[in-house]
Amino acid sequence: VPNNNSSCWCACYDTTNNKHIVAWNSSHDNTLYSKVGSCASNGTLTFGASSTLTTVRSAQTYNMCIYYDEATNRIVLGYRDEGNSSDPYVVVGRYNTSSNEVDWGTPVAVETDPPGGFASLDCITKASNTDGKIALIWMLGGGGQNGVANLGTLSSSGSNTITIGSRSDVYGLGSYAKAVYNAKSERIELIWRDSNDNHYITLQRIKVNSGGTGLEADGSSKKIINSNPGDDFNIAYAANSEATYIVFRGTTDSDKIYFTRITNTTGTPTHNTPGARGTGASLTSDGLGRSSWEPNSNCIVFAGRPDSNRNKMYAFDVATIGSNISKVHNFIGFPDQAYTTGQTATIKSYGSALSTFSGLSISSTYYVNGDGSVGTSDSWVSANRQESWHHGQMGLAVSATTLLIKDPTV
């Protein structure tokens, strides 16, 4: 890539067009450029003619992050604009198949003159299962400021525009914020280095507010470890597992690689006990690269530097969520009330009436979904849209609260 005297850069993958989008600030001429790359079947990445560059902004820029929104086929690039009082800005673009470059819209300020004098735009991610809703996550400048977020709405028309809502305090003072969207819980899960707590890794869950106008914290924050790994920590959501994983450098155990999984879906996050993985693999300081989920192999992959002279790629397998209610008939009934583990339960099966529902449509046929809920469709698609099942009838609604359970094989 030409003009590679870059002070910072970022990249994303356009899954619709199979293109890699790179953006960087050239310290040679203080210009923000972008370039499109293509990946051949042998893994070779090419960027075409070196003379072809797209100018995004003619000013020095820092703290860049980029996100590809598959639902709207848009690329969202965020940065701190030194030509505009160090304010946080975003610009929306779309890949142009004719020019093999990105057509960018007009940059928009996330906020002008924010408290603290300058702002660090840390990450951009999907914000809800509603198409075009994204989260802009950033840190206010100056001492004592909190981490904030704005809800952005990408245009549903052909224009490369975005509407930005008001900012909300969503996490504490710190740095190196990294976030993913959990499609199952419809929540953003964010980690950062907490300046209020010895620079330990801290986790916060974020959601769209009830009015759909902004973002808010969902529950309290949760500390992950009692050590400071610098910026050597990352987070990734595995859609096939419907779970979020955190990977970090364990500074108290020979810098080994540690993992933990978030174990609940709403409110204050919980996680399992972090554990070292691999065969004694360890990392140097500043040796952990960005983590991501690889859907074909269902692995979390990341780059690591075990010593000062080399990098390695690491991967760990994650479980796949399946369903025992696949096809047409793998259910025998429903409990007549809520039970706890170890209690003896009464199961109402074929021919019984179950009156624990609400809002049923009288005389409608209902089916058992792959997650155990009921619905009026005879097929079910998982929250991550990776798998679907077809199944038989569960029963007939005889009132708004009662289903007559039937044998799904009949």
Side-chain angles (χ1 to χ4, degrees), residues 311-357:
N311 288 311
K312 287 185 176 181
M313 291 298 296
Y314 296 87
F316 68 94
D317 296 327
V318 294
T320 299
I321 296 295
S323 172
N324 63 356
I325 312 175
S326 60
K327 309 290 183 188
V328 294
H329 42 259
N330 290 344
F331 85 96
I332 60 172
F334 282 79
D336 62 345
Q337 64 182 53
Y339 293 95
T340 59
T341 302
Q343 283 187 295
T344 300
T346 298
I347 305 299
K348 292 202 170 185
S349 192
Y350 316 144
S352 299
L354 183 63
S355 300
T356 58
F357 300 96

Side-chain angles (χ1 to χ4, degrees), residues 1 18 45 61 87 138 146 163 166 190 255 277 351 385:
V1 178
N18 190 26
L45 185 63
T61 54
D87 292 341
W138 51 293
N146 285 332
T163 302
S166 301
L190 178 144
D255 294 330
R277 295 292 185 269
R385 301 177 185 270

Side-chain angles (χ1 to χ4, degrees), residues 131-201:
D131 290 349
K133 297 292 185 181
I134 63 171
L136 309 171
I137 299 169
W138 51 293
M139 179 65 65
L140 292 170
Q145 303 287 356
N146 285 332
V148 299
N150 297 68
L151 181 65
T153 304
L154 295 169
S155 172
S156 58
S157 66
S159 62
N160 293 325
T161 58
I162 183 172
T163 302
I164 300 174
S166 301
R167 66 173 161 88
S168 302
D169 290 348
V170 291
Y171 66 105
L173 175 67
S175 56
Y176 304 120
K178 301 160 187 179
V180 293
Y181 178 70
N182 187 317
K184 178 177 176 59
S185 64
E186 297 190 57
R187 300 291 193 274
I188 298 161
E189 288 157 339
L190 178 144
I191 54 175
W192 80 99
R193 195 175 70 169
D194 192 345
S195 297
N196 291 324
D197 192 3
N198 300 299
H199 298 291
Y200 297 158
I201 302 175

Side-chain angles (χ1 to χ4, degrees), residues 376-396:
T376 55
S377 174
D378 67 350
S379 64
W380 179 79
V381 180
S382 62
N384 57 61
R385 301 177 185 270
Q386 296 292 319
E387 300 179 79
S388 63
W389 297 274
H390 293 274
H391 34 70
Q393 296 179 25
M394 180 268 186
L396 181 71

Side-chain angles (χ1 to χ4, degrees), residues 66-236:
I66 195 169
Y67 166 73
Y68 175 71
D69 187 69
E70 190 172 11
T72 61
N73 190 25
R74 299 301 209 295
I75 303 148
V76 185
L77 173 62
Y79 54 91
R80 193 179 85 197
D81 194 326
E82 298 299 292
N84 278 307
S85 304
S86 299
D87 292 341
Y89 270 74
V90 293
V91 60
V92 179
R94 184 198 296 260
Y95 172 70
N96 186 318
T97 57
S98 298
S99 65
N100 193 36
E101 291 298 332
V102 176
D103 293 334
W104 295 102
T106 302
V108 178
V110 179
E111 183 173 330
T112 57
D113 298 322
F118 67 91
S120 172
L121 191 59
D122 288 317
C123 50
I124 304 172
T125 188
K126 188 177 179 67
S128 84
N129 286 347
T130 301
D131 290 349
K133 297 292 185 181
I134 63 171
L136 309 171
I137 299 169
W138 51 293
M139 179 65 65
L140 292 170
Q145 303 287 356
N146 285 332
V148 299
N150 297 68
L151 181 65
T153 304
L154 295 169
S155 172
S156 58
S157 66
S159 62
N160 293 325
T161 58
I162 183 172
T163 302
I164 300 174
S166 301
R167 66 173 161 88
S168 302
D169 290 348
V170 291
Y171 66 105
L173 175 67
S175 56
Y176 304 120
K178 301 160 187 179
V180 293
Y181 178 70
N182 187 317
K184 178 177 176 59
S185 64
E186 297 190 57
R187 300 291 193 274
I188 298 161
E189 288 157 339
L190 178 144
I191 54 175
W192 80 99
R193 195 175 70 169
D194 192 345
S195 297
N196 291 324
D197 192 3
N198 300 299
H199 298 291
Y200 297 158
I201 302 175
T202 304
L203 171 66
Q204 177 70 61
R205 184 170 276 129
I206 303 169
K207 64 179 179 179
V208 176
N209 63 26
S210 58
T213 58
L215 297 166
E216 63 184 13
D218 182 22
S220 301
S221 61
K222 178 67 181 295
K223 180 169 58 180
I224 301 297
I225 55 166
N226 291 319
S227 64
N228 173 16
D231 64 345
D232 292 328
F233 59 94
N234 260 306
I235 188 168

